[in-house]
Each structure stands twice: as C-alpha cells, then as structure tokens.
Amino acid sequence: MRLPSIKNLTYLLALEEHQNFNRAARACNVSQSTLSAGIQNLEEQLGCQLIERDNKSFLFTATGLEAVSRARDIVNHTRDLVEFVQHQASPMSGEVRLGCIPTIAPFLLSKVVTQVNTVYPELKLLLREDTTQNLMDMLEKGELDLVLLALPVDTKGFHTMRLGKDPFSQVMHKELAAKWGQEPDLKKLPERSVFLLEKEHCLTEHAVSACHLTDSTKINPFAATSLHTLVQMVNAKLGTTFLPQLAIDAGILTGTELVASRLHDDNAYREIGLVWRQTSSRIRTYRSLGELVAKSLPEPLL
C-alpha cells in the first residue's frame, strides 16, 4: 500500500483553506499545475475522489471534507514530531509561531520579544495579531504554535497555562472625574456614557462581566475599533470606559487629560494565559515562555 505524502496532504489543506487553486498554490510556493497534480496523485493513492471539478469551479466531496480533517491531524502530528526531535537537546531554540489578541499585543509583545532575544537568543518568535476566534482557529489548524489571550475563553481540547491578572481601571476626563467622582456608582451614570470596544474584541465581554455592567442603557451603542480609539473618544469628554492595566502601564494615556482609578472590586480583572494544542511536544519551550511573559504582567500568577 502506497501511503500519501505529507506534501500532498499539505496541498489539500491549502486548497480547502483558500478555496482557490491559484491562491492555494501561492501559499504553498508552488505552481498551480504542481498543486493540482499533487491532489490528483493523492486521490489515486487513496482510491477515491476528493474534489469534483469542472472548467470553472470545484467542490469537496463528503469524503474529501473528512480527508481534510484527518489530513490536518496528520500534518500537525508530523510537525510536532519534527519539532520534538529537533529541540530535544535545545528546547529554547528554533521558531515559535505566537498569536496574540489586539488588546494585549501592542502593550506587551515588544517587551516579551526583547526579553526573549536576551534570555533565549536562539529562539525566534514569529508574531501574528488577530481576534481570539481567528487565532484559536489558526491554532487548531496548526498554523500557530501558541496563542496569548485573555481568559476565560473556550479552550476545550487545548492546554491552558494561566500567567497572571490584568486589573481594570475606570478612565475618564479629569473634568468628568471632578463632576462624577473618579470611581462613580455605575447606576448613577448618565445613559450611554460608557464606551467599549466592538464585540469582536473579547475585552468588551471581560469588562462587562468584571465591572458588573448589567444595565445596558449605560453603554453607548458606538463601539471603538481599538483601545487607542477608545482613549480618544473618552478624552473628548464623551464619557467613561474601562482599560486594562497593561495598556495603562504601557503609556496609552500619555498626552491625554484622562485619569485612571483602579476599581476596588477584587474581581475586576481579566486573566492572561497561553494556549497550545494538547498534542504538542514542545511543552518545555512553551512553559518557559509562559514564565517569561508572566514577569511582565501587572499581577503574575507564576
């Protein structure tokens, strides 16, 4: 029995991801004809049709979709095997593909990369910033090795390493602070006076939960796309918001007339953690990275 090659399985995964032969070929750094021939060869080796084609389009058969799922597991396990063998003697070397959410990346990754370059000079971080859902999808597909994010999220099927706490502070213009108090009773705030990020950012859900924003009438329907935009809106005296200490420590309020007040509620924080696939063999590498990242958090747990 001829076993399919990892290369051809990779071609199949690329075609499923990009849904276009030309784009899939570019992603694999091969010609379109090479990719097409590789998939045809895979079908011959497996003895079944994976893709239905005509002159202008294609679609995956039911067997093809199942083959994609199984091929992803095979490619991921193979990659983990290679990394395991290569890094047994020196676990803190080689490349690590790290994903990070936008409400953490600008305020932490520069420091982390600098520390990695100093402490582990043979280790190279390849960084990707995206939303939690997109990063988790990429981790599952084997396109990332690690994801640095805010908890809680659904990490079923993955290993989670909790690193530390990132407390929330209430932030508003100094004139509004003088009028409302630096930590006003949320129930007494004007309607639509609390500004948050778009729902695609998990920080919004974490802030709503941690700061007990149960009255939706207090939340302004206009949502910001980034923490920096949120700061500018609040600096214009439009209302108040809640920012993580990581962003404040990194100087996001510099040049503004905003004041920040740490909330007295012990539960007003988000938890920062690392997530990786349970099948990964580079646990020593990831744990060492986690310990390094924790040192840069406002309240480390390690």
Side-chain angles (χ1 to χ4, degrees), residues 102-104 107 150 165-173 182-183 186 194-198 201-204 206-208 210-211 213 224-235 239-254 256-265 267-272 298-299:
T103 57
I104 294 178
F107 315 111
K165 297 179 180 179
D166 188 15
F168 285 106
S169 290
Q170 185 161 13
V171 176
M172 66 186 78
H173 193 277
Q182 290 193 353
E183 192 180 337
L186 295 180
V194 177
F195 287 83
L196 300 171
L197 291 176
E198 292 177 334
H201 296 276
C202 61
L203 181 68
T204 291
H206 293 152
V208 168
C211 302
L213 292 171
T225 58
S226 71
L227 287 182
H228 289 89
T229 302
L230 197 60
V231 165
Q232 294 306 314
M233 293 164 62
V234 177
N235 196 45
T240 183
T241 191
F242 299 91
L243 295 182
Q245 196 62 38
L246 264 178
I248 295 173
D249 290 345
I252 195 171
L253 302 183
T254 301
T256 72
E257 295 187 300
L258 299 177
V259 292
S261 302
R262 286 283 288 268
L263 301 177
H264 297 305
D265 189 335
N267 295 317
Y269 65 87
R270 61 176 181 170
E271 200 168 37
I272 307 299
E299 296 182 11

Side-chain angles (χ1 to χ4, degrees), residues 11-12 80 133 146-147 197 204 210 225 288 291:
Y11 292 164
L12 183 70
D80 289 338
Q133 185 59 57
L146 281 174
V147 174
L197 291 176
T204 291
T225 58
S288 295
E291 292 169 0

Side-chain angles (χ1 to χ4, degrees), residues 49-216:
Q49 186 180 20
L50 304 177
I51 299 170
E52 295 181 12
R53 307 167 176 83
D54 61 26
N55 292 332
K56 295 182 179 180
S57 63
F58 70 91
L59 59 86
F60 281 84
T61 64
T63 301
L65 291 175
E66 178 63 23
V68 166
S69 176
R70 293 172 182 261
R72 182 172 294 116
D73 289 338
I74 292 170
V75 171
N76 286 342
H77 283 306
T78 303
R79 183 181 290 113
D80 289 338
L81 172 63
V82 172
E83 291 177 346
F84 172 76
V85 173
Q86 289 180 342
H87 301 295
Q88 275 302 289
S90 181
M92 303 310 292
S93 64
E95 295 182 347
V96 171
R97 299 166 299 171
L98 173 65
C100 188
I101 59 175
T103 57
I104 294 178
F107 315 111
L108 185 61
L109 287 189
S110 177
K111 184 184 297 185
V112 169
V113 170
T114 299
Q115 292 175 336
V116 167
N117 290 340
T118 300
V119 181
Y120 305 117
E122 296 182 0
L123 188 68
K124 182 179 181 181
L125 293 182
L126 304 179
L127 307 177
R128 172 65 180 261
E129 180 181 320
D130 212 323
T131 62
T132 298
Q133 185 59 57
N134 288 342
L135 293 176
M136 294 301 292
D137 289 344
M138 295 175 69
L139 182 64
E140 182 178 9
K141 293 178 181 178
E143 297 170 6
L144 291 173
D145 301 311
L146 281 174
V147 174
L148 181 62
L149 42 64
L151 304 170
V153 296
D154 182 10
T155 56
K156 185 179 179 180
F158 299 94
H159 182 84
T160 302
M161 181 180 183
R162 286 172 166 78
L163 305 180
K165 297 179 180 179
D166 188 15
F168 285 106
S169 290
Q170 185 161 13
V171 176
M172 66 186 78
H173 193 277
K174 61 182 183 182
E175 293 183 11
L176 290 183
K179 179 180 178 181
W180 294 343
Q182 290 193 353
E183 192 180 337
D185 185 346
L186 295 180
K187 297 178 181 179
K188 297 180 180 179
L189 287 176
E191 292 188 359
R192 300 188 173 188
S193 61
V194 177
F195 287 83
L196 300 171
L197 291 176
E198 292 177 334
K199 291 184 178 179
E200 287 77 7
H201 296 276
C202 61
L203 181 68
T204 291
E205 181 179 346
H206 293 152
V208 168
S209 175
C211 302
H212 307 293
L213 292 171
T214 55
D215 187 351
S216 60

